[in-house]
Amino acid sequence: MVVTGLTFAVGVGLVTALIATPVWLLGGISLRTLIAGVLRFSVVSCLIGVGFSGLLALTARGRPFDRLSLPLFAALGAGVGFLYFLFMGFMGAFGVWSLASAITNLVLVTVAGGGSATAILLVARRGRPQLKAGDDLQDPDDT
């Protein structure tokens, strides 16, 4: 679960940096604001990733990645993003946000969650299993 959270954090952090860097270069934000934004989105994405991993463990039930659907992954990621949005709101953000800010935050965290989950499945599917069912776990050189 922790590795999934860290993967979400790195992926969303990179995307945030790619989006914010041109704004910084054009003078729209300071370097400090850019770094703070990347860190903030990375921490949030890590929490979303851990929650996603927990939901995945409950719903996938040991199925291999090639048997899991991309829409299921995206929905789980977006669902966890939505839960995080509700958490932020109930922790006091609903009293501070304008309607436009609330909608923007809702879209950002649900898209970040769904997009990160989709990316994780695509990366996981590219990996090749080292062992197949029925393979001996003992190294042949140890005998």
Side-chain angles (χ1 to χ4, degrees):
M1 289 173 68
V2 172
V3 172
T4 301
L6 292 174
T7 304
F8 271 50
V10 169
V12 171
L14 288 172
V15 170
T16 303
L18 288 172
I19 293 170
T21 298
V23 177
W24 168 65
L25 290 172
L26 294 172
I29 58 173
S30 68
L31 180 60
R32 185 178 191 163
T33 302
L34 182 143
I35 293 170
V38 168
L39 291 175
R40 187 174 300 121
F41 275 106
S42 293
V43 169
V44 167
S45 298
C46 184
L47 296 173
I48 291 171
V50 169
F52 166 78
S53 183
L55 278 177
L56 181 62
L58 293 173
T59 58
R61 300 204 174 119
R63 288 183 283 173
F65 285 117
D66 60 345
R67 293 193 51 219
L68 296 172
S69 73
L70 206 53
L72 170 68
F73 256 67
L76 286 175
V80 171
F82 178 71
L83 290 175
Y84 183 75
F85 168 78
L86 292 177
F87 172 76
M88 286 189 303
F90 289 122
M91 294 303 293
F94 286 148
V96 177
W97 287 337
S98 67
L99 180 59
S101 294
I103 291 170
T104 299
N105 287 320
L106 172 64
V107 170
L108 284 175
V109 295
T110 54
V111 168
S116 296
T118 301
I120 288 217
L121 179 59
L122 293 174
V123 168
R125 283 182 176 173
R126 292 187 60 100
R128 302 282 181 222
Q130 297 299 317
L131 296 173
K132 293 185 177 45
D135 284 351
D136 188 10
L137 296 178
Q138 188 176 28
D139 188 5
D141 295 332
D142 289 345
T143 56

